[in-house]
Amino acid sequence: MSEFKHKKSLGQNFLKDDKILNDIAHAIKLEENDLIIEIGPGQGALTKKLQAQNVNLICYEIDKRTKPYLDKLQTSKTRIIYQDILKSDISEDIKDYNYHNLYVIANIPYYITTPILKKIIDSKINVEKMILMVQKEVADRFCAHPCSKDYGTLTIYLNYYFEIEKLFVVPASAFEPMPKVDSTVIQFTKRKTKFKIKNEEIFFKLIKDGFHLKRKNLKNNLGNYDLKTIEFILKQHNLSLQNRAEEIPIDVFVEIANQL
Ligand code: SAM
């Protein structure tokens, strides 16, 4: 590992703690005909743990300097794609696989955490579960509840698609080189009971507008909306237009969006 020059700009903090690697690789009970997407295999530490479970693997790695480590891991069941995940056509890459469940398991580069999640959601690839290492503070935002400082548009966007659960905290000392922050491994599970939305575009616009000015209440931020209808729904939940968006649970936003 020592002669490899880690690029900070690519989020290259490699996991060196064998127990944590095992815990991530075994967080889901994998079966032989599952397909796993790994983002950023680096020198292949997690890749090897996944390979040992005899699953199908597709790994996206942007840095070709990892080729000496990763080329030798390629097998009939493991494919390494040296490409930016954000520029990849994931649905095209997985289309020839005959798999049972699709999972994403990765120690992702933190500088593109949200773009990666957006990419996976927009790719519409029907991921069953994701096990992802993210920055601890970011995990707090993903799992935040209404009325907490971390609850915002990103929380709602991700919780609309997934049930999100923190699995365990990983100290900075588990990485080489050591990052400045601690990390958390989180599990995203595809929602079994989906929110019933008439029009997603209206829903997401409502969320964006509702949170527009963080210190303003709903009356201010949603001035262009049918405030009577919104007030009527809020009242049924003991809320009012004086509340801020950060105090409104997702299902109430859904109810409002469906009446607009
Ligand atoms: N999986 C390895 C581990 O756990 O030790 C490395 C994880 S490291 C946090 C993130 C990896 O993502 C690096 O190998 C980095 O080169 C790669 N990476 C960064 N940006 C990427 C991108 N846009 N697409 C694919 N891989 C990327």
Side-chain angles (χ1 to χ4, degrees), residues 10-15 21 38-46 60-63 66 83-86 107-109 111-112:
L10 291 177
Q12 288 180 341
N13 300 97
F14 294 160
L15 254 175
L21 283 161
E38 189 193 354
I39 299 157
Q43 291 176 316
L46 181 60
Y60 293 94
E61 174 55 64
I62 200 171
D63 188 350
T66 59
Q83 211 166 275
D84 182 345
I85 180 71
L86 301 180
N107 174 17
I108 57 173
Y111 74 105
I112 45 170

Side-chain angles (χ1 to χ4, degrees), residues 30-49:
L30 301 175
E31 288 173 15
E32 246 180 72
N33 52 354
D34 290 331
L35 174 59
I36 319 297
I37 295 174
E38 189 193 354
I39 299 157
Q43 291 176 316
L46 181 60
T47 319
K48 288 180 203 159
K49 303 279 183 194

